[in-house]
Amino acid sequence: MNLFILRHASAGLRRKNPLLDLKRPLDKDGKRHCLQLAHVLNALKIQFDLIVSSPLKRSLQTASLVGTETGYESQILLSNGLAPEATLQDFQKLLNECRGHENVLVVGHNPNLTNFIGSMLVPASDPLPAAVRLRKGTIARLSFNRSPAMLQWMLDPRTVRALYATSTKSSRRKTSRK
Amino acid sequence: MNLFILRHASAGLRRKNPLLDLKRPLDKDGKRHCLQLAHVLNALKIQFDLIVSSPLKRSLQTASLVGTETGYESQILLSNGLAPEATLQDFQKLLNECRGHENVLVVGHNPNLTNFIGSMLVPASDPLPAAVRLRKGTIARLSFNRSPAMLQWMLDPRTVRALYATSTKSSRRKTSRK
């Protein structure tokens, strides 16, 4: 199974009221990032056959925008295994339920998502997870066929933005030469 | 310090004679990959202020092509800390000598390069390194200011090729619309 782990995109500042914070939406930067990320995923010819999101709005919105723009037409599943309070055990239980799918995208939150990735990259006997930096909107591709999983690539939002800008800039440059 | 760890690009099949194998050059795919990778690094506005390579030809050639195409004008240092037989201690000694530089590119070989990255991402007390897959031509960016280092992004050659193709394809597409 190819597992794509994505931290939700930019969604402004945390709300003091926890109930309101659950419904905090993506901001303008966050929405733009989702579209740019989808552009890059399309360039990589990646299509998901399952998308699972945390139930929180900022995560579901990220999953939905990226899913729509990469041609995902099924329903996005919601799972508490990706919620901010989920434990590594919750997350692993979710992944076991995803077995049988080939390309799975999961969308969640920090700090636990960083911990989930880091823990998957080391043997279960290692006391501490691997150190990865997961900015908002970062996506990592893991091969998840045996334990530990293996990191194949990881794109942070600055990289996605720069790659997106190049692809549009170089086309503009050529056009203006005419 | 930002540390960019790059495995040398494609260089055909291993030679049986070890002395001849030291001089095995990049093949056509390998050279092309170096140029595509440089294109992507330029899009990311990354410039190196120090490049260190293993003494073997396929590694030095990778370092040289990527360096030239990203505007590196200083000399490429050769270090046995990146040679195929180097240990983690040799590698760490080299990195300590690189302190004081901001953006350092090191180019080396598998299987030890995979082990070096994996070991840098976990605390020294962890018995086993993190699991990353380092195809030929894969590059990883690590923040190397404290231990463990932190992985920021990682691009495998398929990702580089796809991103390069998109940036050139989308420009062609726009031009043909005129």
Side-chain angles (χ1 to χ4, degrees), chain B residues 83-156:
Chain B
E85 63 275 12
T87 64
L88 182 58
Q89 285 68 34
D90 298 330
F91 181 69
Q92 283 168 332
K93 192 174 160 224
L94 163 66
L95 293 186
N96 282 331
E97 292 165 4
C98 298
R99 298 266 185 189
H101 292 273
E102 199 180 345
N103 293 305
V104 178
L105 173 67
V106 297
V107 187
H109 307 262
N110 253 11
N112 59 357
L113 207 60
T114 290
N115 181 49
F116 297 162
I117 295 188
S119 298
M120 289 179 73
L121 299 181
V122 296
S125 57
D126 271 20
L128 288 171
V132 298
R133 173 156 192 183
L134 219 62
R135 290 174 192 274
K136 292 190 185 85
T138 295
I139 187 168
R141 179 188 190 279
L142 282 70
S143 294
F144 185 58
N145 299 314
R146 49 181 180 176
S147 178
M150 192 169 277
L151 183 71
Q152 302 263 350
W153 52 251
M154 187 167 111
L155 297 171
D156 75 346

Side-chain angles (χ1 to χ4, degrees), chain B residues 23-88:
Chain B
K23 297 181 182 169
R24 178 153 54 94
L26 295 186
D27 59 19
K28 200 175 148 189
D29 273 354
K31 287 179 194 164
R32 185 175 54 200
H33 173 72
C34 290
L35 301 183
Q36 293 179 346
L37 175 59
H39 177 91
V40 168
L41 292 172
N42 284 330
L44 295 171
K45 295 189 172 47
I46 290 166
Q47 287 213 310
F48 305 110
D49 49 338
L50 177 65
I51 300 183
V52 190
S53 167
S54 132
L56 271 57
K57 180 160 184 171
R58 54 191 180 276
S59 177
L60 179 56
Q61 227 181 338
T62 301
S64 175
L65 280 169
V66 172
T68 304
E69 296 293 321
T70 56
Y72 181 74
E73 292 178 349
S74 310
Q75 208 178 345
I76 292 170
L77 299 188
L78 299 184
S79 169
N80 285 323
L82 290 160
E85 63 275 12
T87 64
L88 182 58

